[in-house]
Amino acid sequence: MVATRVLDALRAGLCGRRLIVAAEGQTGVWLVGGAVRDILLGREPRELDVAVEGDVEALARRLGDVDALHERFGTATVSAGDCRYDVARTRSEHYPVPGALPDVRPAPLAEDLRRRDVTVNAIAVSLSDGGVEAVPGALEDLHGRVLRVLHDRSFEDDPTRVWRIARYAVRLGFAVEPATARLAAHARPGAVSGERFGHELRLSLGEDDPCAIFERLRELQPMALPEGFDPRPDGVAEALSLLPDDGRRDLVVLAACCARMSLDLLQRWLDHLQFPAADRDLVLAASRWVTGAPLRAANTPSQIGRAASGAPVEAVALAGGPNARRWLDELRHVRLEITGDDLLAAGMPQGPPIGAGLRRALDAKLDGRAAGRAEELAVALGER
């Protein structure tokens, strides 16, 4: 029944059919992990994870374009049109230091399943003969909607699993088994790099309800988030409703959560997580944008423009209110027909007067006091 449901779901989709065709004639090819879990839950898999007891590269090249091949871990990332596959050699793992990247060696599927994070991700279906392999209790936990680690050292081996369990719990609506929750409460970072934790944070921000994930994470491991981080800040829903299409939803959420952190701690934390500099600076600016109050207090379009000009759209959205909406929907798109070259040609001296003149013209245009090049130029030159 399990294999039938999984294989029928694969055959019903282009990406699944491509995988089945690529695996023809090769034994020891298994659909595994989240893809099996999601299909059995009646959900669309986010990705197709394939475990291979054999030649990873050969299967990967039959599937499509090999985007990345990591010989150390025996893994490959493959794309074919809109299809994405993660292909990995079945392996066992040994962690020389808690939290460090593991030493790996090829191993049978049964050992590969035992190295995984939770039981419901340790189910595999053979693409050649429809066989099913699972760790003990995996199918029962899936039916009971329970997240359970496979052994007591799970979080010592890989502390980032606490983040993943929080993510699964929210996305799937699963409960965390009590013994797993107790183990998570004692998890420590170990030798995990900031980059790996940053990857987990970015994955959480990409989920439908990142704030719920942060709340669940804090319940599981209170030390996982820094001092001052607010998992469920006020105003996030309004800010996201205001945010235009060219804004970053993930960074709006993060900036709102970090508004109560000290600026120094926030910068050091984001640097530790190896956030790209542009993303880090945007979060720093949006999380404590001091002109939010002037924007909310503005009474005219030009006042709105002066308060919001130069601020990232994410910061304006977080300021909230009707003035933010008006700026984002309408006023930020207003452009002058004149340029600084027009003012120079009219005799205005180069330097600060040019900027001041253009600012006067834009204020007038926003307030409806100037329309067209002639009126804009007159205002800029102080002639009206």
Side-chain angles (χ1 to χ4, degrees), residues 211 214-215 218 225-234 236 253-254 256-261:
C211 290
F214 298 146
E215 287 181 319
R218 179 157 284 176
L225 295 168
E227 182 181 355
F229 188 100
D230 184 357
R232 182 72 74 172
D234 295 334
V236 171
V253 173
L254 183 58
C257 291
C258 297
R260 298 179 183 177
M261 290 178 62

Side-chain angles (χ1 to χ4, degrees), residues 9 46 48-49 83 87 91 158-159 164 186 188 201 210 217 226 255 307 314-315 343 356 364:
R46 292 191 168 205
L48 294 177
D49 293 329
C83 302
V87 185
R91 64 187 189 263
D158 186 356
R164 291 200 288 283
H186 293 93
R188 295 297 180 266
L201 173 58
L217 177 64
E314 292 81 3
L343 301 188

Side-chain angles (χ1 to χ4, degrees), residues 56 60 65-71 75-79 85-87:
V56 166
D65 297 323
V66 179
D67 300 323
L69 184 65
H70 302 286
E71 292 185 5
T75 62
T77 303
V78 180
S79 61
Y85 308 91
D86 287 322
V87 185

Side-chain angles (χ1 to χ4, degrees), residues 246-262:
D246 57 328
R248 292 278 300 274
R249 295 177 62 86
D250 56 340
L251 299 185
V252 164
V253 173
L254 183 58
C257 291
C258 297
R260 298 179 183 177
M261 290 178 62
S262 74

Side-chain angles (χ1 to χ4, degrees), residues 26-29 52-62 87 89:
Q26 184 173 344
T27 60
V29 179
V52 182
E53 294 178 290
D55 190 342
V56 166
E57 187 172 357
L59 176 65
R61 298 201 181 282
R62 286 198 296 273
V87 185
R89 175 71 167 87

